[in-house]
Amino acid sequence: MWTALVALAPLAAASWWVRPGKWRQVLLLAASYAFYAVFGVSSLAVLLASSLLNFGCGAFIRARPIAGRLWLGIAANVSLLGFFKYLPPAAAAFEAPLAVELARVALPIGMSFWTFQALSYLFDQYREEDLRPSLLEFCLYMGFGPTVLSGPICRLPDMLPQFQHRPPFSWSAAGAAARRIWLGLFMTSLARILGGGIRGGHGLDFGFAQPAFALHASGVWILAIGYGFQLFFDFAGYTHLAIGAAQLVGFQPPENFNRPYLSTSPSVFWTRWHMSLSFWIRDYVFLPLASARRGIFWRNFSLLSSMVIFGLWHKATAPFIAWGAYNGALLVLHRQWQAAAIRFSWDPPPAFWEPFSWVVTFFSICAGWILFRAASLKQAGEMLTRLVRPADYALPVLPAELTLLVLSLALAYFALDSLRLLAGRLSWSSGGPVELKAACYAVMTYVIFFNGVKPQGFAYFQF
Amino acid sequence: MRPVITAIRFALAAAIFVMGLEVCARLGDLAVYGAPFSGSYSSENLFLRDALGKRGRPGGSYRQWQMNSLGFRGPEIDWSRTRIVCFGASEMFGMFEDPGDELPRMIERDLNSRPPARYQVVNAALPGESTATAIRRVPEIAATVRPAFAVIYPSLAPYITLSAIGHEGAQGAPDAPRFEWRLPEWISDVVKARLPMRAMIWYRQYQIRKGSAGHRLMDRLPEKNVQRFEADSLALIESLQSRRIEPVLVTHATVFGDKVPVDDRYLMLTWRAFYPDLKEAGFLDMERRMNDVLRRLAARHGIPLIDLAAVMPPSRRYFADAVHFTDAGAELAAAAIAAGLRPALAGENAPDRPDSSDAAGNGTSTAPKLRSAALSRHVSP
């Protein structure tokens, strides 16, 4: 992948100087498709087919925006995604020759992301938004190199003007993009170290491979918090890479993370974590569903259903569905709590309440990561059961180096993020004196090239 | 004035960046390997130089390699066990295996797989050591380890350059620790791990061109080199036998088998980069002829022979590079060597060995039997 990126970088860079704009789009699409073909020509064929299908569906809906046509488009996309994503695991349970063949069908990388982009386009056409992309622009929207693998999930109204109007080239913007890529590499390296450990074999992968009876409450918390940070560093780091790469060729995809672990409620958390998917679910699932009927029960049901779809988007397995339902339940509880506080006019002092809310939110979200990471619902259940046994808290934890690694990274993250929050613009990569930046970049460079653990893939490539 | 200040600040930042990386490299070594933060930390920590040349540094450690108090890789000597000493170079010392999975430890584990554990295998191999150098170490090793058996797994390639034979490690880094930058080695590791294969091939070819510049390239190893190897091997055998240590010869295995597959061409280039005077075609011929020397010596002098070159499948599953074992390779080789040792050990402890029926007992080659035993146990389709 990295070789392909380096090879295609000059092609993408040339897009700054190509005129007219249409040729720029052609160049970017060619570079994007060449990059995507690295992951399989058949995947590229599926992407192309989906692009053509959705472009056609969009025109069909625009001609007469009725619900039937929209549902047809949704059914086509869900069927395509279902065939590649949900059918093979289901078919693996059967032994018939056809099932064996189906089980071998490989999911095109990033399909969940660009299928949701296509769906948002269809919804926008149904809502009669003024969107008339050319086929070239639509194909570029679907297969845009920096975001095609793992998002962020873009919306055509944001991207179309950027495809049509090129900003002037600026060295400072290119520098900021490069810094963002470096930060992304640094964060993904931290995720790799958390997974594999500093000394190979003593990371979170080792911890989660332990039988549940060998773990105790404190160990489960370390694994849950550690995995929360691993996932954050991995996906937020990848997002930095994707956005930085897009910025290098003059585009600004949507942000995906905004200090999620400083959230003081589950509702806030879900506006800061994987924001492009959260907002997609909010706009195209929750809001239409919640506005269909009135009443608290229906609103809570909509919340719960939306979060279950959130889980299903990742994988159609019991742990992911349970993870979605768990987070839906957290959101419902929070809403009910807010309603009760208003009803009884309870207004605790923020100095006490905000830290308390943060602690509850952080640990609730982290407990949910057990469901996200566990190999089965049984393992997740056993691990979560440990958390509610007071006697288990006094027992030994995981290897000291893993505990130390997780706690030190978590503390460093909170210290740096709090500092950034308090100091406004102060950033360790883009602000401060050049000498401080040099020291920070030395640490980042070392971590990026740290050899202690074996390379692993990005966690979100599997979705 | 302002440009000057800016230039000074950027120079300072560059210095901070370099020093920051050096500090990180040291902290990384500390966290991963428990290395000291200050002082030097290189492979030289493992070795000492004395009048005889290079030897293991007692208590030395570097990365995954740890020496015991006598300067041998592995645990302390257990005087209650029968000791088997292993001679050889980096292949025997262990390069790519996980700590504790290097060949001598694997042999020991195999021999002690049925309780009671009665054998200890002492790793007296040193990277880069030739048979000629090993001869000089025999008196000292015999006195300190008092082994009953010696497994000889000689590295053959040092005999490509006769002028260097017997002088390995005579020159080198000074013993006293001094300040050394760790950054260059870290950068080298990073580059090696991430360079694309084409770039690595180009680099190896460059190394070979540079190393062989001004030398006459050999198509084939000269006969006198093979004779020198035979003479040294015989001298080592006699030196051991004179100290009542029973030698066991092991032929040298490579990843290639009879030919170099296209996919393994890079491994041959990497190997040749260390010995650029011999052309690629000459390496396999050298292995064949020198392994024949070992077979001949074993037959002539009634020494047990383990024909590892015939046992080891030519597969990258078993070799991390041209000659060094992976964990799986060390396990397979150890099984073959342990199976070959058992007949000799059975003679030593006849009543205790349940599998003493395997014993050849007459000192002739046990290779065919070993091959089938090892292959049937370890080579799965």
Side-chain angles (χ1 to χ4, degrees), chain A residues 120-289:
Chain A
S120 75
Y121 168 67
L122 299 187
F123 284 120
D124 290 344
Q125 291 294 355
Y126 175 68
R127 291 172 179 175
E128 298 184 65
E129 296 211 15
D130 186 22
L131 287 172
R132 289 176 183 273
S134 67
L135 179 61
L136 181 63
E137 286 163 347
F138 186 75
C139 286
L140 187 55
Y141 164 67
M142 289 285 284
F144 184 49
T147 59
V148 71
L149 299 183
S150 283
I153 298 170
C154 304
R155 308 273 184 100
L156 195 60
D158 299 329
M159 298 305 286
L160 196 56
Q162 299 186 53
F163 291 147
Q164 290 168 344
H165 306 288
R166 173 180 34 195
F169 178 79
S170 129
W171 281 109
S172 65
R179 280 199 297 272
R180 197 147 183 187
I181 289 174
W182 208 244
L183 180 62
L185 288 171
F186 169 65
M187 289 175 75
T188 53
S189 300
L190 286 181
R192 180 169 53 89
I193 291 168
L194 270 169
I198 287 180
R199 299 177 201 216
H202 275 156
L204 293 166
D205 296 342
F206 162 81
F208 275 99
Q210 302 304 303
F213 64 79
L215 295 168
H216 301 288
S218 37
V220 173
W221 275 121
I222 292 294
L223 290 179
I225 294 169
Y227 185 66
F229 276 98
Q230 187 192 5
L231 201 61
F232 171 68
F233 288 137
D234 183 79
F235 196 24
Y238 174 80
T239 303
H240 280 305
L241 285 176
I243 295 178
Q247 287 174 335
L248 274 182
V249 285
F251 294 90
Q252 183 61 57
E255 293 293 337
N256 238 356
F257 292 88
N258 179 20
R259 302 183 185 117
Y261 287 134
L262 294 187
S263 306
T264 51
S265 75
S267 305
V268 174
F269 178 84
W270 285 111
T271 58
R272 293 176 171 197
W273 177 277
H274 200 171
M275 290 148 67
S276 63
L277 179 61
S278 290
F279 295 157
W280 195 101
I281 296 276
R282 180 197 64 191
D283 294 345
Y284 300 118
V285 180
F286 172 70
L287 289 177
L289 201 61

Side-chain angles (χ1 to χ4, degrees), chain A residues 295-305 328 331-332 335-336:
Chain A
I296 291 173
F297 172 79
W298 184 253
R299 191 200 60 198
N300 289 344
F301 172 76
S302 304
L303 260 180
L304 205 61
S305 310
L331 289 171
V332 168
R335 287 287 177 95
Q336 294 307 116

Side-chain angles (χ1 to χ4, degrees), chain B residues 271-291:
Chain B
W271 194 16
R272 198 190 156 202
F274 290 94
Y275 311 99
D277 292 348
L278 184 63
K279 288 183 181 171
E280 282 172 33
F283 276 82
L284 295 191
D285 171 70
M286 171 192 77
E287 289 282 316
R288 234 178 344 259
R289 287 159 65 202
M290 291 170 101
N291 277 334

Side-chain angles (χ1 to χ4, degrees), chain A residues 1 35-36 39 109-111 113 145-151 238 460-461:
Chain A
M1 184 181 82
F35 172 61
Y36 195 69
F39 300 93
I109 191 166
M111 189 179 190
F113 293 89
T147 59
V148 71
L149 299 183
S150 283
Y238 174 80
Y460 258 71
F461 275 11

